[in-house]
Amino acid sequence: MMEFDFSGIIPSLPGLWNGMVMTLKLMALGVTGGIILGTILALMRLSHSKLLSNIAGAYVNYFRSIPLLLVITWFYLAVPFVLRWITGEDTPIGAFASCIVAFMMFEAAYFCEIVRAGVQSIPKGQMGAAQALGMNYGQMMRLIILPQAFRKMTPLLLQQSIILFQDTSLVYAVGLVDFLNASRASGDIIGRSNEFLIFAGFTYFIISFAASQLVKRLQKRFAV
């Protein structure tokens, strides 16, 4: 059985940290954009307009039925061709931008269902009271319904964010250097791939486990 040597990890920490910063950027921007787009989709699904509801439903069903890796590679390879067709010029968007767009659009399908469930969990009497005060639909959602819904949804939103944090490792497909790819590259350079992959797995576990414990505490707190 080979002997493990983790001594090469400490000198490689600056490069690993740069990879972690990239991972956190991807997660933060993907979650922010996904929640915004997901909220819009959720309101469309809850709309009385059958057309808007069907469009949002088709979007959610489509993106929940395909793998994230396919979405990442599709945006990286296909979007430049679409932009060339629209503008008539080569417009490279780069691996980082394509991954951000892919994460936003993919996660929006999941955040949409979380937001929709959160809005539907609010008693209908809240809407009736808001209407009695003379509020329109936009005011009801912005001032009454969504603030209460997001408070209930916070644990689920964080749980989905943890999943995205783990899924950012799929950016290897387009050559983007996140934490996992930085660990793999550093290990290959000094011939200690196994040690660096073990370290990367342990780091993902610690961060995800700590975040999961936070989610459980929030669930208990919001249940009161």
Side-chain angles (χ1 to χ4, degrees):
M1 184 175 181
M2 66 177 297
E3 183 178 347
F4 291 108
D5 182 8
F6 294 92
S7 60
I9 292 178
I10 295 179
S12 303
L13 286 179
L16 298 179
W17 172 248
N18 290 334
M20 179 58 73
V21 170
M22 175 61 69
T23 293
L24 295 176
K25 281 183 180 179
L26 290 169
M27 184 197 71
L29 293 175
V31 168
T32 302
I35 290 177
I36 294 173
L37 181 56
T39 302
I40 295 173
L41 289 170
L43 295 178
M44 289 174 62
R45 294 203 70 179
L46 294 170
S47 172
H48 295 298
S49 171
K50 193 172 183 180
L51 176 61
L52 293 178
S53 180
N54 289 339
I55 291 174
Y59 180 100
V60 171
N61 291 332
Y62 176 75
F63 277 98
R64 293 184 69 181
S65 302
I66 58 176
L68 176 56
L69 183 59
L70 177 63
V71 179
I72 293 173
T73 53
W74 185 85
F75 273 99
Y76 181 70
L77 298 174
V79 170
F81 289 100
V82 175
L83 292 176
R84 183 187 304 169
W85 178 72
I86 295 175
T87 63
E89 300 178 356
D90 289 329
T91 311
I93 62 173
F96 179 76
S98 64
C99 287
I100 291 298
V101 174
F103 285 143
M104 286 181 178
M105 298 194 68
F106 186 84
E107 293 299 321
Y110 293 88
F111 286 127
C112 169
E113 293 301 280
I114 294 174
V115 174
R116 184 166 70 97
V119 170
Q120 290 178 328
S121 70
I122 303 301
K124 293 183 179 180
Q126 299 275 352
M127 283 193 174
Q131 288 175 339
L133 292 174
M135 292 184 179
N136 58 35
Y137 182 78
Q139 290 174 324
M140 283 191 297
M141 285 295 172
R142 181 168 55 89
L143 301 175
I144 305 296
I145 305 301
L146 286 179
Q148 297 181 72
F150 271 101
R151 183 178 185 276
K152 291 187 175 184
M153 294 183 298
T154 298
L156 291 176
L157 294 175
L158 290 176
Q159 190 66 48
Q160 188 63 35
S161 301
I162 296 171
I163 295 174
L164 178 58
F165 170 72
Q166 299 166 352
D167 287 344
T168 53
S169 59
L170 295 174
V171 298
Y172 76 88
V174 294
L176 203 60
V177 182
D178 69 323
F179 178 70
L180 180 60
N181 291 327
S183 300
R184 183 186 295 113
S186 298
D188 290 341
I189 290 174
I190 65 174
R192 290 290 179 179
S193 299
N194 291 333
E195 287 86 341
F196 275 82
L197 289 177
I198 291 173
F199 174 75
F202 181 74
T203 303
Y204 276 106
F205 169 76
I206 290 297
I207 295 175
S208 299
F209 180 77
S212 297
Q213 294 303 306
L214 174 61
V215 169
K216 289 182 179 179
R217 292 186 63 181
L218 288 175
Q219 286 176 332
K220 292 179 180 179
R221 180 177 178 181
F222 291 159
V224 176

